[in-house]
Amino acid sequence: MADNSAGKVLLVDDSAQVRAVIRDTLKDVFPVFVEADDGLTAIKAFVEERPGFIITDIEMPSINGYRFISTIRNMDDGRDVPIVMLSGNKDSLKKKLTGFNLGASDFLIKPFEREELLARVKSLLRMRHLMDELKEKNALLEKLAVTDDLTGLPNRRHFFETVREQLALGLRHNLKLACMLMDIDHFKAINDTWGHVAGDDVLRKIGALLASCKREGEILARFGGEEFIICLFNTDSENALRAAERFRALVKTYDFSSVYYPSIKVTVSIGLAVYPQGALISIDDLIKAADKAMYASKVAGRDRVTLHEWSAPPPATDKAPIIDK
Ligand SMILES: [Mg+2]
């Protein structure tokens, strides 16, 4: 069973006798039976008990089986739950069609053969199981598509998607946004001296360090080889500088000792650009500015933070604001 609710079945029938037969037939399939003798009670039971399977009569007092099914199918949690309908054999074709149109998964005419009910229920459960597996796989694929393999951080693609949303919001709400680009100093030397396993280890450790120290709402991603990027929201340049200094000092004082290399010192150069600065700019421009500032940090001796100073409004750009390669 995929989850707890999958072992729970909701039996809806105004006949206690029919419910007893169903219970007996399916006692080896479902560990838990929830019962209701009319549609209204059944809706309440569905909401409270979250069963993973429903067997329902059509002709019942208060709310009948049709209305019960359409109510369930209109609920978020009720869209996928298998529903078997039961009905007397009068007008069975019409009832069957109505039931299927409302979202029933299967239909049985009373009186039914126990073996047939059992077989149909098992077949629906198999299908449900396959669907659950598919959903899980899709969720995993979606996660993998936006996750950096090595560090487990969001990747560049996820960064652009999220920042684009935030930037759109920011434009509407006059939000301030700071972009911090961080590059590990002399990373090539680490790889050359201690090997790529050591280099990967440093990247993983910095990723974990940044992830544990970033504040809620900040967007952190591995941007490229040895580059990390962080977006801070609602931040002016003073606060952004303070945050950048905090990250720089964190990396510098972190104990990177490892089985792959002796205790080594790792530092980062950081470039910072703050938005908005007079003119509206794109994310591309903001990152470009942060990159320039980061380069200035390198030139000035590394292990430092540089804030990009906008000398003039950045040139207007007519290309799409987001690149993602
Ligand atoms: Mg009935």
Side-chain angles (χ1 to χ4, degrees):
M1 299 290 164
D3 57 51
N4 291 335
S5 68
K8 212 186 253 185
V9 59
L10 174 58
L11 290 189
V12 192
D13 201 302
D14 53 339
S15 157
Q17 200 190 335
V18 171
R19 294 202 307 270
V21 170
I22 297 173
R23 220 169 41 229
D24 189 56
T25 307
L26 302 176
K27 62 179 183 295
D28 294 332
V29 179
F30 298 108
V32 181
F33 290 84
V34 180
E35 298 187 26
D37 55 8
D38 69 277
L40 206 57
T41 318
I43 291 169
K44 192 164 175 280
F46 180 80
V47 172
E48 283 169 7
E49 301 282 344
R50 299 286 160 201
F53 203 101
I54 296 175
I55 298 171
T56 182
D57 188 17
I58 295 178
E59 296 85 8
M60 291 183 294
S62 78
I63 288 180
N64 68 19
Y66 297 134
R67 285 181 61 198
F68 169 59
I69 290 182
S70 74
T71 305
I72 297 300
R73 286 297 185 234
N74 279 311
M75 296 165 80
D76 275 348
D77 287 349
R79 275 200 305 252
D80 298 334
V81 58
I83 302 179
V84 176
M85 282 194 106
L86 302 172
S87 177
N89 59 8
K90 199 166 159 270
D91 283 336
S92 62
L93 178 63
K94 203 174 144 216
K95 285 174 182 168
K96 210 184 277 189
L97 295 178
T98 310
F100 279 128
N101 279 332
L102 289 171
S105 321
D106 207 344
F107 190 96
L108 261 178
I109 292 167
K110 291 196 274 193
F112 50 84
E113 297 292 334
R114 287 178 175 227
E115 290 85 349
E116 187 175 6
L117 174 65
L118 187 63
R120 285 176 186 261
V121 165
K122 281 185 173 171
S123 150
L124 284 170
L125 281 173
R126 263 196 305 275
M127 251 172 3
R128 176 71 206 248
H129 184 67
L130 287 174
M131 243 171 65
D132 287 344
E133 273 184 355
L134 205 61
K135 266 191 209 162
E136 266 170 44
K137 277 180 189 151
N138 278 338
L140 181 68
L141 282 177
E142 260 170 47
K143 189 166 180 287
L144 286 177
V146 293
T147 305
D148 170 55
D149 234 14
L150 182 68
T151 60
L153 294 182
N155 61 17
R156 187 186 179 101
R157 172 170 159 191
H158 182 256
F159 174 83
F160 277 112
E161 279 173 9
T162 317
V163 170
R164 181 167 34 195
E165 274 169 32
Q166 297 280 355
L167 195 65
L169 261 176
L171 286 177
R172 283 200 295 276
H173 296 97
N174 238 347
L175 203 75
K176 285 183 172 162
L177 182 146
C179 180
M180 195 189 294
L181 200 61
M182 187 180 296
D183 188 273
I184 303 175
D185 294 328
H186 301 300
F187 184 70
K188 192 176 174 298
I190 297 174
N191 275 328
D192 289 349
T193 312
W194 307 107
H196 285 273
V197 179
D200 286 354
D201 190 57
V202 167
L203 286 170
R204 256 193 304 265
K205 279 179 177 161
I206 290 194
L209 183 65
L210 296 177
S212 70
C213 300
K214 86 173 185 73
R215 293 181 177 155
E216 202 179 329
E218 296 175 356
I219 299 173
L220 162 69
R222 182 174 176 206
F223 201 59
E226 65 259 39
E227 277 186 342
F228 295 86
I229 194 161
I230 303 174
C231 247
L232 316 162
F233 297 98
N234 248 333
T235 304
D236 55 18
S237 46
E238 206 175 300
N239 282 319
L241 271 168
R242 209 173 298 139
E245 269 302 330
R246 184 165 56 94
F247 281 120
R248 187 198 59 80
L250 265 171
V251 173
K252 191 177 187 174
T253 53
Y254 186 79
D255 176 15
F256 280 91
S257 56
S258 154
V259 291
Y260 306 115
Y261 44 78
S263 179
I264 48 171
K265 278 287 158 209
V266 179
T267 59
V268 289
S269 295
I270 297 178
L272 201 57
V274 178
Y275 164 95
Q277 291 288 338
L280 287 184
I281 56 165
S282 68
I283 265 291
D284 280 358
D285 292 325
L286 193 66
I287 292 171
K288 239 183 257 164
D291 191 51
K292 252 191 210 167
M294 196 265 289
Y295 185 71
S297 286
K298 294 276 185 196
V299 170
R302 298 180 167 83
D303 184 23
R304 68 194 63 214
V305 177
T306 306
L307 173 69
H308 179 79
E309 304 284 355
W310 303 99
S311 47
T317 170
D318 54 359
K319 64 179 176 343
I322 306 301
I323 41 153
D324 182 16
K325 292 191 175 94

